[in-house]
Amino acid sequence: MITTIVFDCYGTLIDTGKGSMTAVEQILGSRQSDMDPKPFYETWKRNHHELCRSGIFQAESDIFRIGLAQTYEAFNIQGDPELDVRYMLNTLGKRAVFPEVPAVLAELSTRFRLAVGSNSDHEPLLADLSRNGLDIGPIFSSESLRVYKPSVEFFAKILESLDCRPSEVVYVGDAQIEDVKGPSALGIRSVWINRKNDKRLHSIPEPLSECSDFKELLRTSLDF
């Protein structure tokens, strides 16, 4: 029996919007570079994911900085990662909730215990949830757990803290590897919030449900 729903935050509850791309544009502008920001952003994002999945824990603020240094090197741009990473860090804790999320969470909270488990440093995660009026608890960040999704350890620590068995929890998120494949390795069922209508990768197990928006979770929850 499902008793608890754990939510990813960014891309699931909170819209990241264009904050990251704006930060990249500011970074390139500060270095007088006329490079197209899209490949720079995509490379930085890929470096970020690889660092998170390396198995060596570092705060996400440090991963942003290290990944930026790697991206500068990849494109032969002379920059100061220690200084320039501020443009990205300044976007954190200032993002907006998807409009439909509060009402859906209010409905689900009458039937399930709700929690958040997200790849993020703890302070900006709390800031984003608080400023958007999302009163969900407990809240688990990669910083508080000292491990990143999709590591099994991330989900195991959440289960231990919640005193739940895998069969009692559903994980809800928008990322195929972090939010579907990750929890499935521990026997936790998942709901994939697929707002971009992406195709499921061959290596990703079938989720309990696939939702095109957060509202569909209410219909899916009836089958939990």
Side-chain angles (χ1 to χ4, degrees), residues 39-83:
F40 188 96
Y41 169 71
E42 292 297 335
T43 300
W44 191 3
K45 184 177 180 180
R46 183 169 60 253
N47 290 337
H48 190 92
H49 285 316
E50 289 176 356
L51 287 164
C52 287
R53 296 169 186 168
S54 70
I56 301 172
F57 179 78
Q58 301 174 87
E60 191 177 34
S61 57
D62 291 329
I63 285 179
F64 275 121
R65 174 181 51 79
I66 295 167
L68 178 57
Q70 293 173 337
T71 307
Y72 274 152
E73 183 177 357
F75 291 105
N76 197 29
I77 295 175
Q78 299 300 313
D80 183 349
E82 296 279 353
L83 177 65

Side-chain angles (χ1 to χ4, degrees), residues 23-183:
V24 167
E25 291 170 350
Q26 292 172 331
I27 287 170
L28 292 174
S30 73
R31 294 300 161 185
Q32 290 78 51
S33 172
D34 59 1
M35 178 182 175
D36 181 351
K38 187 174 181 179
F40 188 96
Y41 169 71
E42 292 297 335
T43 300
W44 191 3
K45 184 177 180 180
R46 183 169 60 253
N47 290 337
H48 190 92
H49 285 316
E50 289 176 356
L51 287 164
C52 287
R53 296 169 186 168
S54 70
I56 301 172
F57 179 78
Q58 301 174 87
E60 191 177 34
S61 57
D62 291 329
I63 285 179
F64 275 121
R65 174 181 51 79
I66 295 167
L68 178 57
Q70 293 173 337
T71 307
Y72 274 152
E73 183 177 357
F75 291 105
N76 197 29
I77 295 175
Q78 299 300 313
D80 183 349
E82 296 279 353
L83 177 65
D84 299 345
V85 73
R86 73 186 188 280
Y87 292 107
M88 182 63 78
L89 299 183
N90 285 342
T91 71
L92 306 181
K94 302 174 183 176
R95 295 175 173 177
V97 66
F98 286 105
E100 73 276 14
V101 164
V104 174
L105 291 179
E107 171 66 21
L108 292 174
S109 69
T110 65
R111 291 176 283 164
F112 303 99
R113 177 171 56 164
L114 307 183
V116 171
S118 196
N119 279 354
S120 172
D121 285 346
H122 206 68
E123 186 175 339
L125 176 60
L126 292 179
D128 274 326
L129 293 172
S130 176
R131 70 184 296 275
N132 285 286
L134 299 183
D135 185 16
I136 308 174
I139 298 168
F140 303 97
S141 66
S142 50
E143 184 177 32
S144 67
L145 298 175
R146 309 293 292 179
V147 64
Y148 287 93
K149 297 182 292 182
S151 171
V152 169
E153 186 182 0
F154 180 96
F155 301 99
K157 286 185 173 182
I158 290 177
L159 289 180
E160 181 180 8
S161 180
L162 295 175
D163 192 23
C164 286
R165 296 187 297 272
S167 61
E168 297 174 318
V169 176
V170 164
Y171 189 85
V172 178
D174 69 303
Q176 296 192 55
I177 294 176
E178 282 77 9
D179 303 334
V180 179
K181 187 175 184 178

Side-chain angles (χ1 to χ4, degrees), residues 172-213:
V172 178
D174 69 303
Q176 296 192 55
I177 294 176
E178 282 77 9
D179 303 334
V180 179
K181 187 175 184 178
S184 73
L186 201 60
I188 299 172
R189 289 173 287 179
S190 63
V191 173
W192 179 27
I193 305 297
N194 185 14
R195 291 188 173 91
K196 298 178 181 178
N197 196 30
D198 291 332
K199 290 185 178 181
R200 182 160 56 93
L201 302 173
H202 293 299
S203 62
I204 302 301
E206 184 175 358
L208 175 68
S209 181
E210 177 182 334
C211 300
S212 61
D213 63 37

